[in-house]
Amino acid sequence: MRNKTYFLSDLHLGASYLKNPLDYERRIVRWLNSIKSTAKAIYLLGDILDYWYEYRNVVPRGFTRFLGTLASLSDDGVEIYWYIGNHDIWIFDYLPNEIGMTVIDGYEIKQIGNHRFFLSHGDGLGSLKPGFKFIRAIFRNRLCQWLFSSIHPRWTIPFAHKWSSHSRNFTAEIPQFEGEDKEPLILFSRRWLVEHPQEHIDFFVFGHRHVFIDYNLTHNSRLIILGDWIHHFSFAVYDGNDLQLGTFNE
């Protein structure tokens, strides 16, 4: 019976630091196939691809098994939502049209089952460092995107992968939860609840931070950070009444 909603983030498919990218992709596909009989909807909360840029007539190579599996699930009636992160910013119309999914840039408050969810990758929330804020604005600027697209992919794709590998190599060590007073997404969620007292949120669900936590903000509001698939192979699943965290152990 298809009555479950799944959430996952930070796959970073195509990252240069993955030891065996093809085996890694196959493992993700095996998980997707394992939930196809129960999945009503799948929420991909950003950084699913380590780099993606859609030119008008060209898209990056790779990810055939993963994207094909998403398309097959969509064809079977599974709702797929992709919240873009800071690595897969440049999804335009190709993937939504080919797969049949909905792409969201930013955050969304949504009723799912009996609960209200605040959903986002998480990179643009809260207090941002000036450098990151500047880069984020540049990446989303239409003129800058047009200029970037005028450069041949033979230059842009290697540059993007090199940028990614230097900015944050998640294979070096497992990111750790540093405590509630230092976690920016906890601080953001607390502040949001204070500033919006009339709009109750049952679950704040984020990616981005690569930590895998379930934190009680109040007695009836929880924050979930989904971890990643580099170290945790983690996800959350909601059955209409309760949200639980899980890992894919074959």
Side-chain angles (χ1 to χ4, degrees):
M1 181 177 179
R2 286 184 170 172
N3 61 349
K4 294 183 178 180
T5 300
Y6 292 87
F7 305 85
L8 69 159
S9 71
D10 295 277
L11 307 183
H12 287 270
L13 279 160
S16 60
Y17 48 75
L18 296 174
K19 292 182 179 179
N20 194 322
L22 190 55
D23 283 350
Y24 180 72
E25 182 181 3
R26 284 171 173 155
R27 181 171 188 172
I28 295 166
V29 167
R30 288 196 295 273
W31 178 79
L32 289 171
N33 285 328
S34 76
I35 67 168
K36 65 183 179 181
S37 63
T38 61
K40 177 182 178 181
I42 299 173
Y43 287 77
L44 306 169
L45 292 186
D47 286 2
I48 303 303
L49 304 175
D50 196 63
Y51 170 73
W52 180 268
Y53 193 95
E54 293 178 16
Y55 295 83
R56 180 172 296 179
N57 298 306
V58 178
V59 295
R61 64 187 294 173
F63 323 119
T64 303
R65 292 165 181 80
F66 174 70
L67 297 177
T69 303
L70 288 185
S72 178
L73 289 167
S74 177
D75 289 346
D76 286 342
V78 179
E79 300 171 12
I80 299 175
Y81 303 90
W82 190 317
Y83 293 70
I84 64 174
N86 51 301
H87 280 258
D88 47 13
I89 300 169
W90 298 308
I91 296 174
F92 301 126
D93 62 355
Y94 173 75
L95 289 183
N97 291 339
E98 289 295 314
I99 293 174
M101 66 183 188
T102 302
V103 174
I104 298 96
D105 183 6
Y107 73 85
E108 185 177 37
I109 298 171
K110 190 169 187 179
Q111 184 79 24
I112 306 175
N114 297 321
H115 296 89
R116 286 179 65 78
F117 286 73
F118 186 111
L119 302 168
S120 174
H121 178 61
D123 62 309
L125 303 177
S127 183
L128 305 179
K129 294 180 179 179
F132 180 79
K133 194 173 183 179
F134 174 77
I135 292 295
R136 193 173 186 275
I138 290 293
F139 284 174
R140 282 169 165 75
N141 181 273
R142 291 295 185 185
L143 175 60
C144 292
Q145 290 174 356
W146 179 81
L147 292 171
F148 187 80
S149 67
S150 67
I151 304 173
H152 196 282
R154 73 160 60 96
W155 305 111
T156 58
I157 292 176
F159 171 78
H161 283 303
K162 187 174 183 180
W163 177 293
S164 173
S165 65
H166 281 293
S167 65
R168 198 169 186 182
N169 186 343
F170 291 111
T171 61
E173 59 182 23
I174 302 175
Q176 301 294 320
F177 176 53
E178 297 180 355
E180 58 186 282
D181 294 328
K182 294 183 179 180
E183 174 51 56
L185 292 176
I186 290 179
L187 299 177
F188 165 80
S189 301
R190 283 175 174 170
R191 186 167 61 252
W192 198 94
L193 289 173
V194 171
E195 294 174 354
H196 303 80
Q198 303 303 317
E199 190 164 8
H200 175 69
I201 300 295
D202 296 290
F203 301 108
F204 290 82
V205 185
F206 303 118
H208 185 52
R209 297 283 293 126
H210 289 246
V211 293
F212 189 36
I213 63 172
D214 183 352
Y215 178 82
N216 289 323
L217 294 163
T218 67
H219 72 282
N220 61 355
S221 185
R222 287 163 59 191
L223 175 141
I224 308 296
I225 303 181
L226 292 167
D228 62 24
W229 276 64
I230 299 168
H231 301 290
H232 302 287
F233 310 103
S234 50
F235 60 91
V237 56
Y238 175 71
D239 63 4
N241 294 302
D242 189 29
L243 181 70
Q244 297 182 344
L245 275 62
T247 56
F248 183 49
N249 298 309
E250 298 181 276

